[in-house]
Amino acid sequence: MSTQSLNTRRKSLQGSTSLSTSRSLFFVVLIFLTSLLALGLLYRQFPDLEEHEAKFIKLPWNLEEAKQLGLVLDRYKEKYFYEVLSGVFLVYIFLQTFAIPGSIFLSILSGFLFPFYLALLLVCCCSAVGASLCFFLSNLLGKKVIKKFFPEKAATWAKAVDKHRNNLLNYIIFLRVTPLLPNWFINMSAPVIGVPLVPFALGTFIGVAPPSFVAIQAGQTLHTLTSTSDAWSWMSITVLTLFALLSLIPVLLKNRFKDKFD
């Protein structure tokens, strides 16, 4: 094939990739706007609020806003329990899906509003569902962008995943329990480096439980908290460390038995 033909084909492929990326970006923006519309409709379904309360119905960006929101929702929780529950559920998933910070405050808020085990199940489900949706969005757009602009890094990450492919569930759990990588980074990079959805979602559901346990427990005393750091103690850090080590024990045992029988 001539050099001119190769150049023409390369330009054609680049144009196709650009169009595909643009189309992916369009769908991501469309999904984002649709999600905002759904949250707006949810807000309209909420019962009429007092004027001084309505200003607190917003995404909490700090602990004080979470306290004020919790006090308002707690007032309506008895009569409109499922509306409050579904509201926290959808907003939590929205934040996780689009990698927006603030879910830690919703975890604390869940501990304040709901019974402990319901709050824990709610946070774990929201984290798994939201992370999976973020996974799909990243697979739709982020994968193309990273492979186009960082092909060598993408190949290196993929090789690292292949080396641990038989233990991906345990590694996802370990990453969720420990603060080594932020959750939004794990959500967005997982499809790029070839992590399958099932161990990713299941590992997220299991792995977020220990840190969520700490946040929800803190939420039960939300009115006394002055900062999110108050939720952490040496005991909670020790517990998270033990959970992280436990997640790696099956991997270590598996490798040991493999070496023994090989």
Side-chain angles (χ1 to χ4, degrees):
M1 184 179 293
S2 66
T3 304
Q4 185 176 359
S5 298
L6 286 173
N7 290 335
T8 301
R9 186 177 180 183
R10 188 179 296 114
K11 289 180 180 179
S12 177
L13 287 173
Q14 288 175 347
S16 177
T17 303
S18 176
L19 179 61
S20 180
T21 302
S22 300
R23 202 173 283 174
S24 298
L25 179 60
F26 169 77
F27 282 121
V28 170
V29 172
L30 181 62
I31 292 170
F32 179 77
L33 294 177
T34 303
S35 301
L36 281 180
L37 178 61
L39 290 178
L41 292 175
L42 175 68
Y43 178 78
R44 290 179 63 86
Q45 295 301 316
F46 206 74
D48 293 334
L49 300 170
E50 299 291 336
E51 187 176 347
H52 69 280
E53 294 176 326
K55 64 182 180 180
F56 296 121
I57 303 297
K58 60 182 180 179
L59 292 176
W61 298 109
N62 55 55
L63 195 59
E64 186 58 34
E65 290 182 356
K67 285 182 181 182
Q68 297 298 334
L69 177 60
L71 291 174
V72 174
L73 294 180
D74 189 55
R75 179 184 170 186
Y76 292 88
K77 183 185 64 177
E78 296 299 324
K79 190 174 181 180
Y80 301 98
F81 180 82
Y82 292 105
E83 286 83 351
V84 172
L85 180 66
S86 60
V88 174
F89 180 79
L90 292 176
V91 173
Y92 203 118
I93 289 177
F94 174 79
L95 295 180
Q96 290 282 311
T97 299
F98 297 101
I100 300 172
S103 56
I104 178 62
F105 299 114
L106 290 185
S107 296
I108 295 174
L109 187 64
S110 298
F112 176 74
L113 293 172
F114 308 117
F116 180 84
Y117 291 107
L118 175 60
L120 184 61
L121 180 62
L122 174 69
V123 172
C124 290
C125 288
C126 288
S127 297
V129 172
S132 298
L133 293 174
C134 185
F135 181 101
F136 282 120
L137 293 183
S138 180
N139 194 43
L140 181 66
L141 180 62
K143 193 171 184 179
K144 293 180 175 67
V145 172
I146 290 178
K147 285 196 171 183
K148 181 178 180 180
F149 295 103
F150 308 101
E152 294 181 1
K153 285 188 177 182
T156 302
W157 295 342
K159 287 179 182 178
V161 168
D162 286 336
K163 285 173 62 177
H164 305 291
R165 190 159 294 279
N166 293 330
N167 305 307
L168 281 179
L169 175 62
N170 299 90
Y171 280 110
I172 293 295
I173 294 174
F174 176 80
L175 289 175
R176 295 299 191 183
V177 173
T178 59
L180 296 178
L181 292 173
N183 281 331
W184 65 265
F185 179 81
I186 298 172
N187 296 345
M188 296 187 69
S189 63
V192 177
I193 61 177
V195 177
L197 178 61
V198 172
F200 172 80
L202 182 59
T204 298
F205 182 86
I206 299 171
V208 299
S212 298
F213 182 98
V214 176
I216 291 167
Q217 201 169 40
Q220 295 180 335
T221 57
L222 177 62
H223 59 284
T224 64
L225 293 179
T226 57
S227 74
T228 53
S229 61
D230 293 343
W232 298 93
S233 64
W234 284 110
M235 178 61 72
S236 61
I237 293 172
T238 302
V239 170
L240 291 182
T241 302
L242 288 175
F243 271 108
L245 293 175
L246 285 173
S247 69
L248 293 180
I249 287 178
V251 179
L252 298 174
L253 290 176
K254 186 175 181 180
N255 291 336
R256 185 172 181 180
F257 281 120
K258 183 179 179 180
D259 293 338
K260 183 177 180 179
F261 287 106
D262 287 348

